[in-house]
Amino acid sequence: MMKNALAGIMQQAQKMQDNLKKAQEELGAMEVQGESGGGLVTIVMTGKREVRKVSIDPSLVGDDKDMLEDLVAAAINDAVHKVGKMKKEKMADVTAGIPIPPGFQMPF
């Protein structure tokens, strides 16, 4: 009897691991767009937090270098924040119904 229960738990754990791996792959392929300055600076970032594209409105070029740098940093931070939110939502789907201790961080 105990052996069957353990086998069931192991099977569940393997299924969750497969689902997590699949979710990680899907997240890696997803892209978010971060922006600042009302869209004057946009950043396209993957779920792996790799920046794919940086777009800067021509009106900002040659203007105030410090402001432009701040806008680029803000757009990157916006994209990083959106990736984090996307990951949290995705993991909530994957781990639904699985008792995970509060505050437990996924290893990615």
Side-chain angles (χ1 to χ4, degrees):
M1 181 71 177
M2 189 66 186
K3 199 173 182 181
N4 287 348
L6 186 61
I9 291 169
M10 294 301 286
Q11 204 171 5
Q12 257 185 317
Q14 183 61 52
K15 186 173 189 258
M16 183 181 155
Q17 202 170 13
D18 293 345
N19 288 346
L20 283 171
K21 192 172 180 351
K22 186 175 172 233
Q24 277 180 293
E25 286 166 8
E26 287 172 8
L27 279 166
M30 291 174 146
E31 291 184 342
V32 298
Q33 182 170 304
E35 61 177 59
S36 66
L40 292 175
V41 176
T42 60
I43 303 286
V44 175
M45 183 178 282
T46 70
K48 291 179 179 174
R49 292 188 173 95
E50 292 170 350
V51 174
R52 284 281 154 92
K53 187 174 185 205
V54 178
S55 300
I56 298 170
D57 190 272
S59 68
L60 294 172
V61 180
D63 240 16
D64 181 346
K65 184 178 177 286
D66 290 342
M67 185 184 74
L68 179 55
E69 288 169 350
D70 289 346
L71 286 171
V72 170
I76 290 170
N77 289 335
D78 185 45
V80 168
H81 175 75
K82 286 178 179 174
V83 168
K85 192 173 173 213
M86 184 174 72
K87 282 189 171 188
K88 205 175 208 169
E89 289 166 4
K90 190 88 174 151
M91 288 304 106
D93 291 346
V94 172
T95 58
I98 298 165
I100 293 177
F104 178 79
Q105 291 293 313
M106 288 295 167
F108 53 86

